[in-house]
Amino acid sequence: MTNKYDRQYNFSAGPAVLPVEVLEQARDEMLNYQNSGMSVMEMSHRSKTFDNIIKTAEKDLRELMNIPDNYKVLFLQGGASLQFAMIPINLLKNGVADYIVTGQWAKKAYSEAQKYGKINKIATSEDKTFSYIPDCSNLDISPDADYVYICENNTIYGTKFHTLPNTKGKVLVSDMSSCFLSEPVDVTKYGLIYAGVQKNVGPAGVQIVIIREDLIREDVPSWCPTMLKYKTHADNDSLYNTPPAYGIYICGLVFKWLKNLGGLEKMKEINEKKAKILYDFLDNSKLFKGTVEKNSRSVMNVPFVTGDEELDKKFIEEAKNNGLLQLKGHRTVGGMRASLYNAMPIEGVEALVKFMDKFEKENLK
Ligand SMILES: *Cc1c(COP(=O)(O)O)cnc(C)c1O
C-alpha cells in the first residue's frame, strides 16, 4: 500500500483499527501535551490538565449519544468481561434476571451471572450456531426479573439486534462493545449500556458504562469489593483510583473525531455504505458466502466462508500478502471475518472486495 506510514487495512475484530487522524494527534501531543511539559501517560490523574481531558471526553460522549442527565457515564477497567460480574452483583435485587443468549459473549455473561442469582435463558440462537437473532417480541419475561440482558452486536457471529427485545417494562442491559458509537441509539430505552472500547473506540483497557442513576445502589451485597460497586465510581466521577488515563485521552480524541465527522447519524450512514459493498458482493459471489441470516446482519462484523477450509486458509494468507490483515474468523467458528468498524475507511472495503473478486476468478473450479 502506498500511504505515508505504510499502514495496511486492518480488519481485526479487536483491538482494532483507529482513525489515522487520532493517532497523528496522539503522536504530536505525545511528548508535551498542550504545554503541560509531559505526556498524558506521565501526569497525575488529579491534575487540572487530566481533569479537563476526562470531563471533555464525558461531555463529548454525552453530546454524541444524547445521554440524558439522569444517566452516569463511567470510565472503568477490567474489560467488558468484568461487567459480566458487575452487572448481576449491582443490579440483582430480587435475585432474578433474564438473558438472551445470541453468541459467545452473551453466553459467558450468562454463565458468570449464575454465581449471583437465578438466571434464566429466555431465548437463544445456539441451535443454528448463533447465525440469527431470535424473535424477541413476546418472550417469557420473568415477573420478578431485575433486568433483561442482551449482547446487541455479536462480534464473533456477525449478528445484530435490529429491534430491541420487548422487555415488558423490565430494565434492559446491553453489551454494545462491538457496535458502540457506530450509530445513534436511544439511551432512554436502556437501564445500562456498556462497551469495552478496544473494538470501536480506543485502546484496550477502558470500558465505558452508561447507567441510569436509580440503578446505582448502595445496598449491594456486603461481600462486594469496593472497586466492583458502580456507586464507588459514580460518586467519584471515575476517579476513585487511578483510571486508565491514556486510554481515556485517546477515547476523547475519537469522540472529537466523530463530532467533526458529523456525529453518529453520519457515522451510521458511512458504516451502512461500507457494509453494503461487502454484503452485495457476498450475495452475488459464487465462491464466498455470508454465514448470517440476512435480517440479522451486523454492519460491524461480517463473517464469511468459501465452504472449503483449505481455500479459506489460502484466502487469508493471500489477503495478508495484499495488505488486507486480520481476516481470520474467530477461533471457535473458522472461516473469515471482516470487521468494518468506524475507523475502517471505505477504500479498505473496496480493496477487500476487489481482492475477493480476483481470488474468486482464480479459484472457482
Ligand atoms: C470483545 C468483547 C467482549 C470482551 O471484551 P474484553 O474487554 O476482552 O473483556 C465482550 N463483549 C463483546 C460483545 C465483545 O465484542
Side-chain angles (χ1 to χ4, degrees), residues 152-215:
E152 200 153 328
N153 185 78
N154 297 280
T155 326
I156 296 172
Y157 300 93
T159 60
K160 160 99 201 297
F161 279 84
H162 294 294
T163 314
L164 291 176
N166 176 1
T167 65
K168 302 183 179 171
K170 303 297 182 195
V171 167
L172 180 63
V173 171
S174 175
D175 176 356
M176 280 194 197
S177 294
S178 51
C179 59
F180 194 62
L181 301 179
S182 66
E183 61 177 5
V185 295
D186 180 353
V187 176
T188 64
K189 290 189 171 149
Y190 303 83
L192 187 153
I193 291 169
Y194 75 95
V197 306
Q198 75 272 24
K199 306 292 160 65
N200 208 17
V201 187
V206 183
Q207 51 178 332
I208 294 173
V209 173
I210 300 167
I211 179 172
R212 213 173 62 207
E213 272 169 358
D214 60 289
L215 299 172

Side-chain angles (χ1 to χ4, degrees), residues 273-290:
K273 198 169 154 195
K274 286 188 292 183
K276 188 174 185 309
I277 295 172
L278 182 50
Y279 282 125
D280 282 352
F281 177 82
L282 288 171
D283 289 343
N284 292 300
S285 170
K286 293 192 176 65
L287 182 66
F288 297 99
K289 81 176 205 312

